[in-house]
Amino acid sequence: MALPDTETILTAAGLAATAVVWAVERFLPGRKRIGYRVQMDTAIGMNPQDAHSLVQLRLLRQDQEISDATLALLRFENDGGKDIVRQDYQEPLTVEFAGRTVIGVEVPDANPTDLVGMLTRNGGGLRHDGGRLFVPKVPLNKRNHFKLLVLLSGPGDGTGAATGSGPGGGPGEVTVGGFISGGRIRRNAQRWGPRKLSLALGGTFIVLLGLLGGLLLNGRTAPMPSECAAGRLTIDGSTAFAPPMREIARQYRARCAGADITVLESGSLSGLGNLNREAKPATTEGPGFIAVSDVPAPSLYRRLEGERVGVILLSLVANEKTGIDDLTLDQVRKIYDGTYTNWKQLHGNDLPIHLVSRDAGSGTRRAFETSVLHRSEPGVVSSYDCGDKDRDERARLTRCEVNSTKGLLDAVDRVPGAIGYAEVYAAAKRPHLVSVRLEGHEPDIEWGRQRDYPFWTVEYLYAYGRPEDGSLTAKFLAFMDSDTAKNIMRMYKHVPCADRQSLPDDVCRP
């Protein structure tokens, strides 16, 4: 039997490669893409003639009945091949409901759940005007999604016909607009199930296997992505930065088989000390160690090499029973030097002031002393339990020290009259704590809106010397500059150094 000549083989291989490219483009996500679907669009009123014995459902707005109310449920997702950051949005997402008026909108579902806060935050979240809904520029890592439940009024027909970008059509149509650089926004009519996807791709790869024989079956395992390395890595230090760091480490482990990463939180200075005791650079053979610190490493640690990864926003937090939500810097300093001992002196409630502080190894405490107090905290610890002067009854102040962000928030939550300090994201998750404004300003991840807010610090990652190229330490430090890591930092209310254009010039400078 005659074998096909070289030209025939090359032609067949070219056709097969073209088929693969077509299949990947047709059936798999693109590089950057936001997909959306209208999962529901229906009238919620009831015709009295059809109600019979049922209770009639009526919707009232400002005591006026809305007889033509509709409810729409939209799902947006990153179904592309790359993470999407805020800077990718050249035009934000807009949803237009032709012939209808938006009454209200909620976020019933989001993955991760932090997207809910980013979509709904005061002053920068979802907003609507007439029949248009404006969606803020939220970062979306691969497979992230959120849903919007929209209440509307107007003569729409409830068909929910969705179109692409452009002007709205007739009543009942749902039009989604927007533009992302390096990608597109498209309607997902349906999900491709395993059967359809397998049939589409399976036939293509059968052709390849027939042409290339056993080259794909030589027993070799698929190589790991270039960002990956196997081995063991310990990350220790800042308790304030531990939550986003744990999530970043989890994302890395999910991408990279063989990477064993442990995140500890012994405090910034303790983490730096532990790294300094390692006394050896990371290699491809041995375990690695990275220290996370809210402050620069002390000069005596000469071999530690660090880089700035972002700005961490911090906040004074008070128990809600204090009756305080705004303080001047001068008032804060007089609270900590003992001038004020009761909140009624500051027009709050009649409760004694309890100071909950971090221990001396805390980077958050160092940031508080540097940026707010402009001096050290008082050294007297008069309380073990943060509630009574059970350690020193003669002390003017009731002051305790704890060794973690969680411990501080627990104590301030438990003790009426307590005040302390912590990173913004963790504090915001406590419903009975108040984030105290400073000089009328509050922290905001959009730096231009909070440039006068004084309480923040730079986050550093340190290694001992320069880690060996290809080591897990080196690969993970490079991963911190990925879109995935940056988006996680933003979700935890930190400002990545990648956002240099919005930060003061010297903040992330090496």
Side-chain angles (χ1 to χ4, degrees):
M1 182 177 64
L3 295 174
D5 57 29
T6 302
E7 183 178 351
T8 301
I9 293 175
L10 291 176
T11 301
L15 290 172
T18 302
V20 171
V21 172
W22 173 84
V24 169
E25 172 62 25
R26 175 65 180 85
F27 298 108
L28 295 181
R31 287 175 59 80
K32 287 185 181 179
R33 190 168 69 201
I34 295 178
Y36 67 91
R37 285 179 286 154
V38 181
Q39 295 185 311
M40 178 183 72
D41 192 358
T42 185
I44 61 174
M46 181 180 293
N47 188 328
Q49 295 178 351
D50 298 330
H52 301 297
S53 60
L54 297 177
V55 175
Q56 184 180 354
L57 176 64
R58 296 194 305 158
L59 182 66
L60 301 179
R61 183 189 186 197
Q62 296 178 347
D63 297 327
Q64 299 294 316
E65 181 177 354
I66 303 174
S67 59
D68 54 2
T70 53
L71 200 60
L73 180 64
L74 291 82
R75 175 186 169 103
F76 293 86
E77 58 194 341
N78 180 346
D79 61 356
K82 291 189 68 176
D83 298 330
I84 295 172
V85 300
R86 279 194 179 91
Q87 289 84 351
D88 289 329
Y89 292 90
Q90 300 301 306
E91 296 177 10
L93 295 172
T94 60
V95 187
E96 185 164 352
F97 300 89
R100 291 182 279 179
T101 300
V102 178
I103 299 174
V105 59
E106 296 289 342
V107 185
D109 177 47
N111 179 30
T113 56
D114 307 276
L115 286 172
V116 176
M118 301 178 75
L119 286 162
T120 59
R121 63 179 181 171
N122 292 334
L126 290 160
R127 59 187 181 87
H128 51 86
D129 182 12
R132 282 194 172 185
L133 175 64
F134 301 91
V135 183
K137 300 177 180 180
V138 294
L140 288 172
N141 289 342
K142 289 181 288 186
R143 296 181 294 278
N144 284 176
H145 75 267
F146 61 88
K147 295 183 181 182
L148 302 179
L149 186 63
V150 189
L151 179 63
L152 304 119
S153 68
D157 60 13
T159 60
T163 67
S165 301
E173 288 190 354
V174 179
T175 305
V176 175
F179 180 75
I180 53 174
S181 59
R184 60 191 177 118
I185 299 165
R186 72 162 201 172
R187 182 190 178 195
N188 289 338
Q190 62 178 336
R191 288 188 179 276
W192 281 84
R195 178 175 176 80
K196 290 183 179 180
L197 189 60
S198 297
L199 288 173
L201 295 180
T204 302
F205 284 108
I206 287 172
V207 174
L208 278 181
L209 288 174
L211 285 170
L212 304 178
L215 291 179
L216 299 181
L217 302 175
N218 58 9
R220 297 179 185 174
T221 58
M224 291 191 299
S226 59
E227 66 187 10
C228 292
R232 288 189 295 116
L233 173 64
T234 299
I235 302 172
D236 190 15
S238 169
T239 67
F241 199 69
M245 184 56 79
R246 278 195 295 268
E247 178 60 21
I248 293 169
R250 188 186 71 80
Q251 292 280 352
Y252 188 91
R253 289 194 301 265
R255 286 165 165 77
C256 303
D260 180 7
I261 304 175
T262 302
V263 179
L264 307 175
E265 44 183 312
S266 65
S268 293
L269 295 181
S270 177
L272 291 169
N274 293 337
L275 172 62
N276 192 61
R277 282 189 286 274
E278 284 287 302
K280 57 183 179 182
T283 67
T284 55
E285 302 297 327
F289 195 108
I290 293 173
V292 185
S293 178
D294 304 339
V295 292
S299 57
L300 60 93
Y301 297 156
R302 299 180 183 277
R303 293 295 307 278
L304 302 192
E305 295 191 9
E307 59 183 58
R308 304 181 184 206
V309 294
V311 171
I312 180 169
L313 300 176
L314 304 167
S315 175
L316 277 173
V317 289
N319 187 288
E320 63 180 357
K321 294 181 180 179
T322 62
I324 293 293
D325 62 6
D326 197 346
L327 293 169
T328 68
L329 291 175
D330 183 64
Q331 288 171 332
V332 174
R333 291 161 190 159
K334 288 180 178 178
I335 288 171
Y336 277 81
D337 71 13
T339 300
Y340 299 124
T341 59
N342 193 296
W343 289 112
K344 68 181 180 181
Q345 296 172 279
L346 294 163
H347 308 290
N349 295 325
D350 186 6
L351 283 171
I353 294 173
H354 295 255
L355 302 182
V356 183
S357 300
R358 291 292 306 279
D359 56 36
S362 164
T364 305
R365 172 173 167 175
R366 292 289 185 94
F368 176 65
E369 293 173 335
T370 302
S371 60
V372 178
L373 291 186
H374 293 172
R375 58 175 176 267
S376 298
E377 278 196 57
V380 176
V381 176
S382 59
S383 175
Y384 290 115
D385 66 1
C386 302
D388 300 304
K389 294 179 184 176
D390 51 4
R391 188 174 186 270
D392 185 352
E393 293 182 355
R394 296 171 298 175
R396 179 173 177 80
L397 293 169
T398 303
R399 178 177 177 271
C400 67
E401 291 184 358
V402 295
N403 62 4
S404 70
T405 298
K406 181 180 182 301
L408 183 142
L409 294 172
D410 287 344
V412 177
D413 208 353
R414 185 181 71 250
V415 179
I419 187 171
Y421 42 80
E423 60 101 1
V424 166
Y425 179 84
K429 297 176 79 69
R430 302 294 185 108
H432 302 299
L433 298 186
V434 176
S435 290
V436 180
R437 295 188 298 274
L438 293 175
E439 304 283 358
H441 301 290
E442 57 187 6
D444 195 310
I445 192 171
E446 299 296 341
W447 196 267
R449 293 205 291 261
Q450 72 102 55
R451 63 178 70 251
D452 294 323
Y453 181 80
F455 194 14
W456 53 271
T457 189
V458 174
E459 201 67 34
Y460 296 82
L461 295 187
Y462 281 94
Y464 191 94
R466 184 184 176 200
E468 183 180 353
D469 290 343
S471 66
L472 178 54
T473 301
K475 294 286 189 179
F476 187 83
L477 288 171
F479 184 71
M480 290 297 299
D481 197 39
S482 69
D483 286 343
T484 298
K486 296 169 192 172
N487 280 346
I488 291 170
M489 290 176 63
R490 293 183 185 106
M491 288 178 187
Y492 282 86
K493 308 301 182 187
H494 304 327
V495 186
C497 277
D499 296 345
R500 287 183 177 87
Q501 65 273 19
S502 64
L503 293 169
D505 292 339
D506 59 344
V507 169
C508 286
R509 185 179 300 160

